[in-house]
Coordinates of all heavy atoms in Angstrom, one line a residue:
M9 N 14.5 -13.8 9.6 CA 13.4 -13.7 10.6 C 12.4 -12.7 10.0 O 12.8 -11.8 9.2 CB 14.0 -13.2 11.8 CG 13.0 -12.8 12.9 SD 13.7 -12.3 14.5 CE 15.2 -11.5 14.2
G10 N 11.1 -12.8 10.3 CA 10.2 -11.9 9.9 C 8.8 -12.0 10.5 O 8.7 -12.8 11.5
G11 N 7.9 -11.3 10.1 CA 6.6 -11.4 10.6 C 5.6 -10.8 9.7 O 5.9 -10.1 8.7
E12 N 4.3 -11.1 9.9 CA 3.3 -10.5 9.1 C 2.0 -10.4 10.0 O 1.8 -11.1 10.9 CB 3.0 -11.3 7.9 CG 2.3 -12.6 8.0 CD 2.0 -13.3 6.7 OE1 2.7 -13.0 5.7 OE2 1.0 -14.1 6.6
D13 N 1.2 -9.5 9.5 CA -0.1 -9.3 10.1 C -1.1 -8.8 8.9 O -0.6 -8.5 7.9 CB -0.1 -8.2 11.2 CG -1.2 -8.4 12.2 OD1 -2.2 -9.2 11.9 OD2 -1.2 -7.7 13.2
W14 N -2.4 -8.8 9.2 CA -3.3 -8.4 8.2 C -4.3 -7.3 8.7 O -4.7 -7.4 9.9 CB -4.2 -9.6 7.8 CG -3.3 -10.7 7.1 CD1 -2.6 -11.6 7.8 CD2 -3.2 -10.9 5.8 NE1 -2.0 -12.4 6.8 CE2 -2.3 -12.0 5.6 CE3 -3.7 -10.3 4.6 CZ2 -2.0 -12.5 4.3 CZ3 -3.3 -10.8 3.4 CH2 -2.5 -11.9 3.3
L15 N -4.5 -6.3 7.9 CA -5.6 -5.4 8.2 C -6.9 -6.0 7.7 O -6.9 -6.6 6.6 CB -5.4 -4.0 7.6 CG -4.1 -3.2 8.0 CD1 -4.0 -1.9 7.1 CD2 -4.2 -2.9 9.4
D16 N -8.0 -5.8 8.4 CA -9.2 -6.4 7.9 C -9.7 -5.9 6.5 O -10.1 -6.6 5.7 CB -10.4 -6.1 8.9 CG -10.2 -6.8 10.2 OD1 -9.5 -7.9 10.2 OD2 -10.8 -6.4 11.3
D17 N -9.5 -4.6 6.3 CA -9.8 -4.0 5.0 C -9.2 -2.5 5.1 O -8.6 -2.2 6.1 CB -11.3 -3.9 4.8 CG -12.0 -3.2 5.9 OD1 -11.8 -2.0 6.1 OD2 -12.9 -3.8 6.5
D18 N -9.4 -1.8 4.0 CA -8.9 -0.4 3.9 C -9.9 0.7 4.1 O -9.7 1.8 4.0 CB -8.1 -0.2 2.7 CG -9.0 -0.1 1.4 OD1 -10.2 -0.5 1.6 OD2 -8.5 0.2 0.3
G19 N -11.2 0.2 4.5 CA -12.3 1.1 4.6 C -13.0 1.5 3.3 O -14.0 2.1 3.3
V20 N -12.4 1.0 2.2 CA -13.1 1.2 0.9 C -13.4 -0.1 0.3 O -14.5 -0.4 0.0 CB -12.1 2.0 0.0 CG1 -12.8 2.2 -1.4 CG2 -11.9 3.4 0.5
D21 N -12.4 -1.0 0.1 CA -12.6 -2.3 -0.4 C -12.6 -3.3 0.7 O -11.8 -3.2 1.7 CB -11.4 -2.6 -1.4 CG -11.4 -1.7 -2.6 OD1 -12.6 -1.4 -3.1 OD2 -10.4 -1.2 -3.0
D22 N -13.5 -4.3 0.6 CA -13.7 -5.3 1.6 C -12.7 -6.5 1.3 O -13.2 -7.5 0.8 CB -15.1 -5.8 1.7 CG -15.4 -6.7 2.8 OD1 -14.6 -6.6 3.8 OD2 -16.4 -7.4 2.8
R23 N -11.5 -6.3 1.6 CA -10.5 -7.4 1.4 C -9.4 -7.2 2.4 O -9.0 -6.1 2.7 CB -10.0 -7.5 0.0 CG -9.0 -6.3 -0.4 CD -8.4 -6.6 -1.8 NE -7.4 -5.6 -2.1 CZ -6.1 -5.7 -1.6 NH1 -5.7 -6.6 -0.9 NH2 -5.3 -4.7 -2.0
P24 N -8.8 -8.3 2.9 CA -7.7 -8.1 3.9 C -6.4 -7.6 3.2 O -6.2 -7.8 2.0 CB -7.4 -9.6 4.4 CG -8.1 -10.5 3.4 CD -9.1 -9.7 2.7
I25 N -5.6 -6.9 3.9 CA -4.4 -6.2 3.5 C -3.2 -6.7 4.2 O -3.2 -6.7 5.5 CB -4.5 -4.7 3.6 CG1 -5.7 -4.2 2.8 CG2 -3.2 -4.1 3.1 CD1 -6.1 -2.8 3.3
R26 N -2.2 -7.3 3.5 CA -1.1 -8.0 4.2 C 0.0 -7.0 4.4 O 0.4 -6.2 3.6 CB -0.5 -9.1 3.2 CG 0.7 -9.8 3.8 CD 1.1 -10.8 2.8 NE 2.2 -11.7 3.4 CZ 3.2 -12.2 2.8 NH1 3.4 -11.9 1.5 NH2 4.1 -12.9 3.4
I27 N 0.5 -7.0 5.7 CA 1.7 -6.3 6.1 C 2.7 -7.3 6.5 O 2.5 -8.1 7.4 CB 1.4 -5.3 7.2 CG1 0.3 -4.3 6.8 CG2 2.7 -4.6 7.6 CD1 -0.2 -3.5 8.0
H28 N 3.8 -7.4 5.7 CA 4.9 -8.4 6.0 C 6.2 -7.7 6.0 O 6.5 -6.8 5.2 CB 4.9 -9.4 4.8 CG 6.0 -10.4 4.9 ND1 5.8 -11.5 5.6 CD2 7.2 -10.4 4.4 CE1 6.9 -12.2 5.6 NE2 7.8 -11.6 4.8
V29 N 7.0 -8.1 7.0 CA 8.4 -7.6 7.1 C 9.4 -8.7 7.3 O 9.1 -9.7 8.0 CB 8.5 -6.6 8.3 CG1 8.2 -7.3 9.6 CG2 9.9 -5.9 8.4
R30 N 10.5 -8.6 6.6 CA 11.6 -9.5 6.7 C 12.7 -8.8 7.4 O 13.0 -7.6 7.0 CB 12.0 -10.1 5.4 CG 13.2 -10.9 5.5 CD 13.6 -11.4 4.1 NE 15.0 -11.9 4.1 CZ 15.4 -13.1 4.5 NH1 14.5 -13.9 4.9 NH2 16.6 -13.5 4.5
I31 N 13.3 -9.3 8.5 CA 14.3 -8.6 9.2 C 15.6 -9.4 9.0 O 15.7 -10.6 9.3 CB 14.0 -8.6 10.7 CG1 12.6 -7.9 10.8 CG2 15.1 -7.8 11.5 CD1 12.1 -8.0 12.2
D32 N 16.7 -8.7 8.6 CA 18.0 -9.4 8.3 C 18.9 -8.6 9.3 O 19.2 -7.5 9.2 CB 18.4 -9.2 7.0 CG 19.7 -9.9 6.6 OD1 20.1 -10.8 7.3 OD2 20.4 -9.5 5.6
K33 N 19.4 -9.4 10.3 CA 20.3 -8.8 11.3 C 21.7 -9.4 11.1 O 21.9 -10.6 11.0 CB 19.9 -9.2 12.7 CG 20.8 -8.6 13.8 CD 20.3 -8.9 15.2 CE 21.2 -8.4 16.2 NZ 22.6 -8.6 16.0
R34 N 22.7 -8.5 11.0 CA 24.1 -8.8 10.8 C 24.9 -8.0 11.7 O 24.9 -6.7 11.5 CB 24.5 -8.6 9.3 CG 23.8 -9.5 8.4 CD 24.2 -9.4 7.0 NE 23.3 -10.2 6.1 CZ 23.7 -10.6 5.0 NH1 24.8 -10.4 4.5 NH2 22.8 -11.4 4.3
G35 N 25.5 -8.6 12.7 CA 26.2 -7.8 13.6 C 25.3 -6.8 14.4 O 24.3 -7.2 15.0
D36 N 25.8 -5.6 14.4 CA 25.0 -4.6 15.1 C 24.0 -3.8 14.2 O 23.5 -2.7 14.6 CB 25.8 -3.6 15.9 CG 26.7 -2.8 15.0 OD1 26.8 -3.0 13.7 OD2 27.4 -1.8 15.4
R37 N 23.7 -4.3 13.1 CA 22.8 -3.7 12.1 C 21.6 -4.6 11.7 O 21.8 -5.8 11.7 CB 23.5 -3.3 10.8 CG 24.6 -2.2 11.0 CD 25.0 -1.6 9.7 NE 25.9 -0.5 10.0 CZ 25.5 0.7 9.9 NH1 24.3 1.0 9.6 NH2 26.4 1.7 10.2
A38 N 20.5 -4.0 11.4 CA 19.3 -4.8 11.0 C 18.7 -4.1 9.8 O 18.7 -2.8 9.8 CB 18.3 -4.9 12.1
T39 N 18.3 -4.9 8.8 CA 17.5 -4.3 7.7 C 16.1 -4.8 7.7 O 15.9 -6.0 8.0 CB 18.2 -4.8 6.4 OG1 19.6 -4.4 6.4 CG2 17.5 -4.2 5.2
F40 N 15.1 -3.9 7.5 CA 13.8 -4.3 7.5 C 13.2 -4.1 6.1 O 13.2 -3.0 5.5 CB 13.0 -3.3 8.5 CG 13.5 -3.4 9.9 CD1 14.7 -2.8 10.3 CD2 12.8 -4.2 10.8 CE1 15.2 -2.9 11.6 CE2 13.3 -4.3 12.1 CZ 14.5 -3.7 12.5
D41 N 12.7 -5.2 5.6 CA 12.2 -5.3 4.1 C 10.7 -5.5 4.2 O 10.3 -6.6 4.5 CB 12.9 -6.4 3.4 CG 12.6 -6.5 2.0 OD1 11.6 -5.8 1.5 OD2 13.1 -7.5 1.4
F42 N 10.0 -4.5 3.8 CA 8.5 -4.6 3.7 C 8.0 -4.9 2.3 O 6.8 -4.8 2.0 CB 7.9 -3.3 4.1 CG 8.0 -3.0 5.7 CD1 9.1 -2.4 6.2 CD2 7.0 -3.4 6.5 CE1 9.2 -2.2 7.5 CE2 7.1 -3.2 7.8 CZ 8.2 -2.6 8.4
S43 N 8.9 -5.4 1.4 CA 8.5 -5.6 0.0 C 7.5 -6.7 -0.1 O 6.8 -6.8 -1.2 CB 9.7 -5.8 -0.9 OG 10.4 -7.0 -0.5
G44 N 7.3 -7.5 0.8 CA 6.4 -8.6 0.8 C 4.9 -8.2 1.2 O 4.0 -9.0 1.1
S45 N 4.8 -6.9 1.5 CA 3.5 -6.4 1.9 C 2.7 -6.1 0.6 O 3.2 -6.0 -0.5 CB 3.6 -5.1 2.7 OG 4.3 -5.2 3.8
D46 N 1.3 -6.0 0.8 CA 0.5 -5.6 -0.3 C 0.9 -4.3 -0.8 O 1.4 -3.4 -0.1 CB -1.0 -5.7 0.1 CG -1.6 -7.1 0.1 OD1 -0.9 -8.0 -0.4 OD2 -2.6 -7.3 0.7
R47 N 0.5 -4.0 -2.0 CA 0.7 -2.7 -2.7 C -0.3 -1.7 -2.1 O -1.1 -2.0 -1.3 CB 0.5 -2.8 -4.2 CG 1.6 -3.8 -4.8 CD 1.7 -3.8 -6.3 NE 1.9 -2.5 -6.9 CZ 3.1 -1.9 -7.0 NH1 4.2 -2.5 -6.6 NH2 3.2 -0.8 -7.6
Q48 N -0.1 -0.4 -2.5 CA -1.1 0.6 -2.0 C -2.5 0.2 -2.3 O -2.8 -0.5 -3.2 CB -0.8 1.9 -2.8 CG 0.5 2.6 -2.4 CD 0.7 3.9 -3.1 OE1 0.2 4.1 -4.2 NE2 1.4 4.8 -2.4
V49 N -3.3 0.7 -1.4 CA -4.8 0.5 -1.5 C -5.5 1.8 -1.7 O -4.9 2.9 -1.5 CB -5.3 -0.3 -0.3 CG1 -4.7 -1.7 -0.3 CG2 -5.0 0.4 1.0
R50 N -6.8 1.8 -2.0 CA -7.6 2.9 -2.2 C -8.0 3.7 -0.9 O -8.1 4.9 -0.9 CB -8.9 2.7 -2.9 CG -8.6 2.2 -4.3 CD -9.8 2.0 -5.2 NE -11.0 1.4 -4.5 CZ -12.2 1.7 -4.8 NH1 -12.5 2.6 -5.8 NH2 -13.2 1.1 -4.2
G51 N -8.1 3.0 0.2 CA -8.4 3.6 1.5 C -7.3 4.3 2.2 O -6.2 4.3 1.8
P52 N -7.6 5.0 3.3 CA -6.6 5.8 4.0 C -5.7 5.1 5.0 O -5.6 5.5 6.1 CB -7.5 6.9 4.7 CG -8.7 6.0 5.0 CD -9.0 5.1 3.9
V53 N -5.1 4.0 4.6 CA -4.2 3.2 5.4 C -2.8 3.1 4.9 O -2.0 2.5 5.5 CB -4.8 1.8 5.7 CG1 -6.1 1.9 6.5 CG2 -5.0 1.0 4.4
N54 N -2.6 3.7 3.7 CA -1.2 3.7 3.1 C -0.3 4.6 4.0 O -0.8 5.5 4.8 CB -1.2 4.2 1.7 CG -2.1 3.4 0.8 OD1 -1.9 2.2 0.7 ND2 -3.1 4.0 0.2
T55 N 1.0 4.4 3.9 CA 2.0 5.2 4.7 C 3.1 5.6 3.8 O 3.2 5.1 2.6 CB 2.4 4.5 5.9 OG1 3.2 5.3 6.7 CG2 3.3 3.3 5.5
T56 N 3.9 6.5 4.2 CA 5.1 6.9 3.5 C 6.4 6.2 4.1 O 6.3 5.6 5.1 CB 5.4 8.4 3.7 OG1 5.7 8.7 5.1 CG2 4.1 9.2 3.3
Y57 N 7.4 6.3 3.3 CA 8.7 5.7 3.7 C 9.1 6.3 5.1 O 9.6 5.5 5.9 CB 9.8 6.1 2.7 CG 11.2 5.7 3.1 CD1 11.6 4.4 3.0 CD2 12.1 6.7 3.6 CE1 12.9 4.1 3.4 CE2 13.3 6.4 4.0 CZ 13.7 5.0 3.9 OH 15.0 4.7 4.3
F58 N 8.9 7.5 5.3 CA 9.4 8.1 6.6 C 8.6 7.7 7.8 O 9.1 7.5 8.8 CB 9.4 9.7 6.4 CG 10.3 10.1 5.3 CD1 9.7 10.5 4.1 CD2 11.7 10.1 5.4 CE1 10.5 10.9 3.0 CE2 12.5 10.4 4.3 CZ 11.9 10.8 3.2
I59 N 7.3 7.5 7.6 CA 6.4 7.0 8.7 C 6.8 5.5 9.0 O 6.9 5.2 10.1 CB 5.0 7.2 8.4 CG1 4.6 8.6 8.3 CG2 4.1 6.4 9.4 CD1 3.2 8.9 7.8
T60 N 7.1 4.8 8.0 CA 7.6 3.4 8.2 C 8.9 3.4 8.9 O 9.0 2.6 9.9 CB 7.8 2.6 6.8 OG1 6.5 2.7 6.1 CG2 8.1 1.2 7.0
C61 N 9.8 4.2 8.6 CA 11.1 4.3 9.3 C 10.9 4.7 10.8 O 11.5 4.1 11.7 CB 12.0 5.3 8.7 SG 12.7 4.8 7.1
S62 N 10.0 5.6 11.1 CA 9.7 6.1 12.4 C 9.1 4.9 13.2 O 9.4 4.7 14.4 CB 8.7 7.2 12.4 OG 8.4 7.7 13.7
A63 N 8.2 4.1 12.6 CA 7.5 3.0 13.3 C 8.5 1.9 13.6 O 8.5 1.4 14.7 CB 6.4 2.4 12.4
V64 N 9.5 1.6 12.7 CA 10.5 0.7 13.0 C 11.4 1.2 14.1 O 11.8 0.4 15.0 CB 11.4 0.3 11.7 CG1 12.6 -0.4 12.0 CG2 10.5 -0.5 10.7
Y65 N 11.8 2.4 14.0 CA 12.7 3.0 15.1 C 12.0 2.9 16.4 O 12.6 2.5 17.4 CB 13.0 4.5 14.7 CG 13.6 5.2 15.8 CD1 15.0 5.2 16.1 CD2 12.8 6.0 16.7 CE1 15.6 5.9 17.1 CE2 13.4 6.7 17.8 CZ 14.8 6.6 18.0 OH 15.3 7.3 19.0
Y66 N 10.7 3.3 16.5 CA 10.0 3.2 17.8 C 9.9 1.8 18.4 O 10.2 1.5 19.5 CB 8.6 3.8 17.6 CG 7.8 3.7 18.9 CD1 8.0 4.7 19.9 CD2 6.9 2.7 19.1 CE1 7.2 4.6 21.1 CE2 6.2 2.5 20.3 CZ 6.4 3.5 21.3 OH 5.7 3.4 22.4
A67 N 9.6 0.8 17.5 CA 9.6 -0.6 17.9 C 10.9 -1.1 18.4 O 11.0 -1.7 19.5 CB 9.0 -1.5 16.8
M68 N 12.0 -0.7 17.6 CA 13.3 -1.3 18.0 C 13.8 -0.6 19.3 O 14.3 -1.2 20.2 CB 14.3 -1.0 16.9 CG 14.1 -1.9 15.8 SD 14.1 -3.7 16.2 CE 15.8 -3.8 16.8
K69 N 13.5 0.7 19.5 CA 13.9 1.4 20.7 C 13.1 0.8 21.9 O 13.6 0.5 23.0 CB 13.6 2.9 20.6 CG 14.0 3.6 21.9 CD 13.6 5.0 21.9 CE 13.9 5.6 23.3 NZ 13.7 4.8 24.4
A70 N 11.8 0.5 21.8 CA 11.0 0.0 22.8 C 11.5 -1.4 23.3 O 11.5 -1.7 24.4 CB 9.5 0.0 22.4
L71 N 11.9 -2.2 22.2 CA 12.4 -3.6 22.5 C 13.8 -3.6 23.0 O 14.1 -4.3 24.0 CB 12.2 -4.4 21.3 CG 10.8 -4.7 20.9 CD1 10.8 -5.4 19.5 CD2 10.1 -5.6 21.9
A72 N 14.7 -2.8 22.4 CA 16.1 -3.0 22.7 C 16.7 -2.0 23.7 O 17.7 -2.3 24.4 CB 16.9 -2.9 21.4
A73 N 16.1 -0.8 23.8 CA 16.7 0.2 24.7 C 15.6 1.1 25.2 O 15.6 2.3 25.0 CB 17.7 1.0 23.9
P74 N 14.7 0.6 26.0 CA 13.6 1.5 26.5 C 14.0 2.6 27.4 O 13.4 3.6 27.6 CB 12.7 0.5 27.2 CG 13.5 -0.7 27.6 CD 14.6 -0.8 26.5
D75 N 15.2 2.4 28.0 CA 15.7 3.5 29.0 C 16.6 4.5 28.3 O 16.9 5.6 29.0 CB 16.5 2.8 30.1 CG 15.5 1.9 31.0 OD1 14.3 2.2 31.1 OD2 16.1 0.9 31.5
V76 N 16.9 4.3 27.1 CA 17.7 5.3 26.4 C 16.9 6.5 25.9 O 15.8 6.3 25.4 CB 18.4 4.6 25.1 CG1 19.2 5.7 24.3 CG2 19.4 3.5 25.6
S77 N 17.4 7.7 26.1 CA 16.7 8.9 25.8 C 16.5 9.0 24.2 O 17.5 8.8 23.5 CB 17.4 10.1 26.3 OG 16.7 11.3 26.0
P78 N 15.3 9.2 23.7 CA 15.1 9.3 22.3 C 15.5 10.6 21.7 O 14.8 11.5 21.6 CB 13.6 9.1 22.1 CG 13.0 9.6 23.3 CD 14.0 9.4 24.5
N79 N 16.8 10.7 21.4 CA 17.4 11.9 20.9 C 18.2 11.6 19.6 O 18.2 10.5 19.2 CB 18.2 12.7 21.9 CG 19.4 11.8 22.4 OD1 19.9 11.0 21.6 ND2 19.7 11.9 23.7
E80 N 18.8 12.6 19.0 CA 19.5 12.5 17.8 C 20.6 11.4 17.9 O 20.9 10.7 16.9 CB 20.2 13.8 17.4 CG 20.8 13.8 16.0 CD 21.3 15.1 15.6 OE1 20.7 16.1 16.0 OE2 22.3 15.2 14.9
G81 N 21.2 11.2 19.0 CA 22.3 10.3 19.2 C 21.9 8.8 19.4 O 22.7 7.9 19.4
C82 N 20.6 8.6 19.5 CA 20.1 7.3 19.9 C 20.3 6.3 18.8 O 19.9 6.2 17.7 CB 18.6 7.4 20.2 SG 17.8 5.9 20.7

């Protein structure tokens, strides 16, 4: 399973930027693979590994457990 979307551009170069994720769910675990996304660009839209993890965590929490308190045990 997966999904993709495109940014219109990076604010520097006028070309679309692909963001692609492949999700592999096995039992109670899921792996999110962004390797199909475009490489870094010159504009200010790149992110770090930790921000990507935070975004995945937020999306999964919102979808799977919106009533669970967002704490260390979550």
Side-chain angles (χ1 to χ4, degrees):
M9 170 173 38
E12 75 176 23
D13 203 352
W14 297 81
L15 298 176
D16 292 335
D17 58 60
D18 68 352
V20 175
D21 296 316
D22 188 23
R23 70 171 188 83
I25 301 158
R26 181 181 188 215
I27 302 170
H28 177 84
V29 62
R30 177 180 160 79
I31 304 166
D32 183 21
K33 184 181 177 312
R34 295 181 187 206
D36 64 349
R37 295 194 172 258
T39 302
F40 298 80
D41 179 359
F42 287 88
S43 64
S45 298
D46 281 343
R47 298 190 55 84
Q48 289 183 329
V49 294
R50 294 188 319 148
V53 296
N54 300 304
T55 190
T56 67
Y57 171 80
F58 302 103
I59 291 171
T60 303
C61 290
S62 177
V64 167
Y65 168 84
Y66 177 81
M68 290 304 299
K69 184 191 172 320
L71 292 170
D75 297 330
V76 173
S77 181
N79 58 35
E80 186 176 326
C82 183

